[in-house]
Amino acid sequence: MESIRSIITAAERDSRLPEGEDERFTGYGIMGQPFSSGYLLALRRFSATSVGPGYTAVWMRRPSGSWIMYTDVPADVSCPRYFGSALESTSVHRIDVAWLDDHRFTVDIADDVGLHWEVSLAATPVTRAMSALASALPAKLWSSPAFLRVMGAVAGPSLQAGRIGLVGRVPNGQGFRANPKRMWFISGSKATLQGEDLGSLQALPVQTRLGDFWIPQRGIFMMGSSRFDAFDPAAHHPLPAPPG
């Protein structure tokens, strides 16, 4: 059985950004994991970006529908750069990602957040087939919005994850193009927030999204890269202030 930890470690060590003049990111993450409590968590860990240092971010959707993003670098060089106008707040924290073995890891944010998240990964015939297809595609196709729309439309039902958007606009107005290259399912996960159990794995009653970026209705772990239109200060929406 392949070691997902080894694949991720090698990818982080040898990370290369795609060429281009747009804003580029490479790394991995959990696209989204909904829980029976109504909470949803997502993880982004980019080993390299064209706008600043590599970083880790945790996205959290509350049962009320409001969004928070926690990052370990400033908001203007991380995910809130693109999603900030849709967030209730964003703040900077130490975020620890630790692998327990070849297929399991934890995500922790201590201090006043108090998040502990455990994740187990697994490959299935569907994820293996999707990964093989994605890895074999020529770079030219990954730059085609029309192709990305078709791939997203096919991937959603194939992965039984609801809608998946690989191209469109984020809340701050920039266009995005997501290029997943390998994927695995979340086979098990549990999380606590300030000691409160977030519940079992369960799709949300209504699938949620941030702009045209739809959050899958099941936990999917992906490696790959993303591109965003170059930052335009004139069109930029103010970032939300940290709570306090």
Side-chain angles (χ1 to χ4, degrees), residues 5-239:
R5 175 173 58 178
S6 297
I7 294 169
I8 295 300
T9 300
E12 289 191 306
R13 184 180 62 245
D14 303 325
S15 60
R16 294 184 180 88
L17 287 173
E19 295 183 359
E21 297 182 357
D22 46 10
E23 299 185 349
R24 290 151 287 134
F25 298 75
T26 185
Y28 66 88
I30 297 172
M31 299 303 99
Q33 176 60 69
F35 294 88
S36 58
S37 61
Y39 275 92
L40 183 148
L41 298 175
L43 172 72
R44 300 294 184 273
R45 189 170 174 89
F46 292 114
S47 52
T49 90
S50 64
V51 302
Y55 69 89
T56 303
V58 171
W59 303 7
M60 179 185 295
R61 178 192 180 274
R62 291 192 176 118
S64 64
S66 63
W67 283 89
I68 300 171
M69 287 188 181
Y70 304 111
T71 62
D72 62 1
V73 299
D76 60 353
V77 290
S78 57
C79 296
R81 180 182 183 90
Y82 309 101
F83 298 92
S85 63
L87 306 181
E88 177 182 281
S89 66
T90 179
S91 52
V92 177
H93 303 264
R94 173 176 171 173
I95 302 174
D96 294 310
V97 178
W99 287 87
L100 304 177
D101 57 32
D102 288 343
H103 304 89
R104 296 185 301 137
F105 65 91
T106 58
V107 182
D108 285 280
I109 309 177
D111 53 55
D112 58 329
V113 178
L115 174 69
H116 176 69
W117 185 11
E118 301 177 12
V119 180
S120 299
L121 306 177
T124 70
V126 171
T127 63
R128 291 189 184 98
M130 294 291 288
S131 296
L133 172 63
S135 298
L137 291 170
K140 184 177 181 180
L141 284 180
W142 287 115
S143 300
S144 166
F147 170 77
L148 291 174
R149 290 188 186 95
V150 171
M151 183 142 185
V154 171
S158 299
L159 298 169
Q160 298 182 335
R163 295 186 63 175
I164 290 181
L166 299 179
V167 63
R169 292 199 173 273
V170 288
N172 285 12
Q174 301 98 329
F176 76 90
R177 295 156 299 285
N179 296 171
K181 297 300 177 64
R182 297 195 68 165
M183 65 190 69
W184 296 266
F185 282 139
I186 308 302
S187 58
S189 184
K190 58 182 179 179
T192 57
L193 183 65
Q194 295 181 346
E196 177 187 350
D197 189 340
L198 300 191
S200 59
L201 308 188
Q202 180 177 304
L204 296 177
V206 178
Q207 187 174 4
T208 189
R209 61 176 176 154
L210 288 166
D212 293 327
F213 188 86
W214 289 86
I215 310 298
Q217 284 281 62
R218 68 183 301 179
I220 303 174
F221 181 94
M222 290 186 180
M223 285 176 54
S225 60
S226 299
R227 298 173 180 265
F228 295 84
D229 292 344
F231 183 72
D232 180 2
H236 177 57
H237 296 273
L239 293 171

